[in-house]
Amino acid sequence: MELINRPRRLRRSDTVRRLCRETRLSPDALIYPIFVDEALTGVRPIESLPGQNHYGPDSVCEAVEDCLAHGVTHCILFGLPKEKDACGSSAWAERGVIQEAIRAIKAKYPDFYVITDVCMCEYTDHGHCGILRGHDVDNDETLTVLARTALSHAAAGADMVAPSDMMDGRVAAIREVLDGAGYQHVPILAYSAKYASAFYGPFRAAAGSAPSFGDRKSYQMDPHNRKEALLECELDIAEGADLIMVKPALSYLDVIRECADRFDLPLCAYSVSGEYAMIKSASAAGLVDERRIMCETALSVFRAGANMLITYYAKELADAIRAGEIG
């Protein structure tokens, strides 16, 4: 046949395929979640997340060492405190679990980039993401404790803070407090489009953050909504967010695409615990090739428009990128 256009010409070898790739991945775009348990000494496997660990304050640098060995230079910290109360006061304690973890990491690895999750669910005895009034989360009162928590993280040496609570106005509240205390240089990564998803189960088991009653649908987004995600991003940007996020990733690739097209800020996606656990379970059952599925799902998130990815597979993905399996 006399065909002028033959797309297969650019698929004939790995060399030309790599040359013509539209989407390119780098270990620099990967962020690894680290769980720090204040009551723990050493390291303990996380039952709900095979291959992941809880680290005690004495061992958190082991997690960082492992990241660096794989070429991963960014993490996001999640804390499990010894004590919880109704207002989550351990979240902003000067010697709290995250504050001490930041100091330990920065003392040994000052150039390792530390992002901190700013929320109340891991610190409240009721498991909700803010201060309760009856059975409802008081939005405006919660802003005060979120800002106080973010400030304590910055004071301990965090490079970036990431509010995940989904309270209205929290980015503005945090920006005002950080700037007023001289931390104008600390960026805010806003969990802007965070959906009330069924994919969070393994994380909640790992972090001990499941709500003791009800659910989080009054503050996290309805999975039916697409345009609302754009509104949430617009509001966070107007309040001073430096980066925005869509969470979860795989079931919201359309939202990632629209946000990437609409906004010029760096866009983060979070491949959450349920996504990771599904791949692990399918692999354990012999149903899928874990390595290939890991690479393909991560690629889909970047192809949709994400600039960076929080993922429990960060280390393995970095290895795959260096090995030329993806990238």
Side-chain angles (χ1 to χ4, degrees):
M1 294 183 65
E2 294 185 4
L3 294 177
I4 295 175
N5 296 310
R6 291 182 179 268
R8 288 184 59 192
R9 292 183 188 120
L10 302 182
R11 303 175 195 152
R12 284 183 60 82
S13 69
D14 183 63
T15 303
V16 74
R17 288 192 297 270
R18 293 175 64 83
L19 175 68
C20 298
R21 280 177 176 167
E22 301 172 29
T23 305
R24 298 183 185 275
L25 279 64
S26 166
D28 292 335
L30 303 173
I31 302 166
Y32 183 64
I34 298 176
F35 295 85
V36 189
D37 186 340
E38 189 176 20
L40 176 65
T41 298
V43 180
R44 179 183 63 232
I46 298 175
E47 185 176 350
S48 64
L49 290 170
Q52 305 302 310
N53 296 307
H54 288 119
Y55 294 88
D58 65 316
S59 62
V60 67
C61 285
E62 294 180 25
V64 174
E65 290 165 9
D66 198 26
C67 283
L68 292 172
H70 291 270
V72 175
T73 56
H74 307 77
C75 78
I76 183 166
L77 295 179
F78 298 94
L80 286 74
K82 285 182 180 178
E83 298 180 359
K84 302 185 180 189
D85 57 30
C87 63
S89 60
S90 59
W92 62 82
E94 183 179 355
R95 297 295 175 183
V97 57
I98 291 300
Q99 292 79 357
E100 291 292 84
I102 297 166
R103 294 186 185 100
I105 293 169
K106 286 298 180 180
K108 191 169 184 180
Y109 299 104
D111 295 329
F112 189 78
Y113 202 88
V114 177
I115 306 167
T116 60
D117 178 77
V118 177
C119 195
M120 308 309 298
C121 61
E122 295 145 68
Y123 302 90
T124 55
D125 55 15
H126 47 75
H128 279 280
C129 299
I131 305 300
L132 292 183
R133 288 292 171 263
H135 277 44
D136 295 324
V137 175
D138 187 316
N139 188 96
D140 293 4
E141 188 170 352
T142 298
L143 300 185
T144 301
V145 297
L146 291 170
R148 190 173 180 182
T149 299
L151 178 59
S152 73
H153 292 177
D159 295 294
M160 179 185 293
V161 295
S164 62
D165 54 283
M166 288 301 286
M167 298 298 119
D168 296 336
R170 88 271 203 207
V171 172
I174 291 171
R175 186 75 273 160
E176 181 180 6
V177 168
L178 290 180
D179 289 358
Y183 294 104
Q184 297 93 337
H185 61 284
V186 175
I188 297 174
L189 165 59
Y191 285 65
S192 298
K194 179 179 179 179
Y195 285 85
S197 171
F199 283 95
Y200 301 149
F203 174 93
R204 291 178 181 174
S209 63
S212 61
F213 65 89
D215 53 42
R216 296 177 179 149
K217 293 180 180 178
S218 68
Y219 41 102
Q220 295 178 357
M221 283 183 53
D222 186 338
H224 294 77
N225 296 349
R226 174 181 56 84
K227 293 180 180 179
E228 185 184 10
L230 302 178
L231 172 62
E232 287 282 7
C233 289
E234 286 176 355
L235 291 172
D236 285 351
I237 292 169
E239 290 177 17
D242 299 283
L243 310 88
I244 54 177
M245 186 196 297
V246 175
K247 178 186 179 184
L250 288 182
S251 291
Y252 299 89
L253 295 175
D254 59 322
V255 178
I256 294 172
R257 177 76 269 161
E258 288 215 45
C259 291
D261 288 343
R262 176 76 67 90
F263 306 110
D264 293 330
L265 265 61
L267 175 60
C268 181
Y270 194 150
S271 184
V272 299
S273 60
E275 298 169 34
Y276 172 84
M278 285 195 305
I279 296 174
K280 280 289 185 182
S281 295
S283 174
L287 300 175
V288 300
D289 181 324
E290 181 180 0
R291 185 89 163 185
R292 290 187 63 192
I293 292 289
M294 171 193 76
C295 291
E296 188 173 342
T297 53
L299 179 59
S300 74
V301 177
F302 283 100
R303 190 179 64 243
N307 304 110
M308 62 200 76
L309 178 64
I310 301 173
T311 171
Y312 301 95
Y313 276 123
K315 294 178 288 187
E316 293 87 347
L317 281 168
D319 291 343
I321 291 169
R322 287 200 306 274
E325 299 169 55
I326 184 175

